Amino acid sequence: DTGVSQDPRHKITKRGQNVTFRCDPISEHNRLYWYRQTLGQGPEFLTYFQNEAQLEKSRLLSDRFSAERPKGSFSTLEIQRTEQGDSAMYLCASSPRGGRPQYFGPGTRLLVL
Amino acid sequence: GESVGLHLPTLSVQEGDNSIINCAYSNSASDYFIWYKQESGKGPQFIIDIRSNMDKRQGQRVTVLLNKTVKHLSLQIAATQPGDSAVYFCAEKGADENQGGKLIFGQGTELSVKP
């Protein structure tokens, strides 16, 4: 399978714990995006990378959230001190040069108890 | 624009009929539009895209129409099949470089195909 992959697919954690998600983009895609999706809503943009550079961050990305793409390949999204409001599907997407189209992974569903 | 509320618009069609899903976008400066299909528990799946210099683009069983005058986008699915049942999202991308690479998603439409 050469699509975008995400790990884990599901995560249940207690409020206050830290969690980290991983995304592996399609090979040779230089752009990588993170989105968050809550029930009944469309995905909302969080941040994106071109190669290893983080070029844009949404105001949704509070200081508890951090994303990295150290070698321009896979990316991690960490949430510190999780809150119940962080419960959502976290989606990763990648795109080739030019940014079009974006291909999404299966998502990581986070539940904060 | 941003999605509001938890109740998605729904469209119910008979198997074999054509489906038309509509979307209003917010930014007249957007230069790229895209449709995704999302099945329950899965990530959005790319269907078709269109640039603002086009009015129509066709794929396999799908057609996207763009009306920039009224900021309206539609997805037509020919000979709808039960496997087409899903939530469909449109998304736009601004031409302004300051908007970066992000897609802005509209409110989804839930398509239900009756056999």
Side-chain angles (χ1 to χ4, degrees):
Chain A
D1 188 339
T2 58
V4 177
S5 61
Q6 292 187 245
D7 184 70
R9 294 292 310 278
H10 300 90
K11 180 70 177 179
I12 300 174
T13 191
K14 294 181 179 179
R15 188 176 52 186
Q17 297 294 304
N18 300 342
V19 294
T20 300
F21 308 142
R22 176 180 170 124
C23 171
D24 287 88
I26 294 171
S27 179
E28 299 181 354
H29 278 191
N30 69 332
R31 292 194 181 191
L32 186 148
Y33 313 79
W34 285 99
Y35 292 82
R36 181 173 71 184
Q37 185 177 29
T38 53
L39 191 63
Q41 306 282 322
E44 294 177 293
F45 171 80
L46 292 177
T47 188
Y48 97 99
F49 294 83
Q50 182 164 299
N51 300 312
E52 65 275 9
Q54 188 174 18
L55 297 187
E56 186 178 359
K57 292 192 292 185
S58 164
R59 56 180 173 79
L60 293 175
L61 213 67
S62 75
D63 57 4
R64 296 185 298 106
F65 288 70
S66 63
E68 295 183 342
R69 194 183 184 198
K71 298 183 179 179
S73 57
F74 74 91
S75 175
T76 58
L77 177 68
E78 181 183 17
I79 309 174
Q80 296 182 328
R81 305 181 302 282
T82 52
E83 302 173 355
Q84 288 184 324
D86 297 331
S87 295
M89 174 82 92
Y90 289 84
L91 293 162
C92 177
S94 71
S95 68
R97 291 184 187 279
R100 304 168 180 181
Q102 294 181 23
Y103 295 92
F104 282 83
T108 294
R109 184 169 293 282
L110 172 67
L111 178 60
V112 181
L113 301 176
Chain B
E2 294 183 0
S3 299
V4 294
L6 297 177
H7 300 288
L8 295 172
T10 58
L11 175 66
S12 183
V13 300
Q14 202 72 36
E15 180 179 1
D17 287 351
N18 296 335
S19 302
I20 300 176
I21 301 171
N22 296 304
C23 177
Y25 63 92
S26 59
N27 187 352
S28 57
S30 293
D31 71 341
Y32 174 76
F33 306 88
I34 188 166
W35 282 98
Y36 289 95
K37 170 187 179 183
Q38 188 172 27
E39 297 173 281
S40 181
K42 298 184 178 181
Q45 176 188 351
F46 166 69
I47 303 173
I48 191 168
D49 57 1
I50 187 169
R51 297 177 187 239
S52 61
N53 61 354
M54 301 173 68
D55 297 323
K56 178 180 179 178
R57 191 169 185 216
Q58 289 184 290
Q60 187 176 12
R61 279 202 309 120
V62 295
T63 300
V64 54
L65 298 177
L66 176 62
N67 185 331
K68 295 181 286 294
T69 302
V70 294
K71 293 190 288 186
H72 183 268
L73 194 67
S74 68
L75 177 71
Q76 300 178 1
I77 305 173
T80 314
Q81 303 168 0
D84 294 326
S85 294
V87 176
Y88 289 80
F89 290 99
C90 66
E92 62 185 296
K93 179 183 173 302
D96 185 348
E97 280 301 314
N98 291 330
Q99 297 182 6
K102 66 184 176 188
L103 292 174
I104 299 171
F105 283 78
Q107 186 177 30
T109 295
E110 184 171 11
L111 175 65
S112 176
V113 181
K114 296 177 289 186

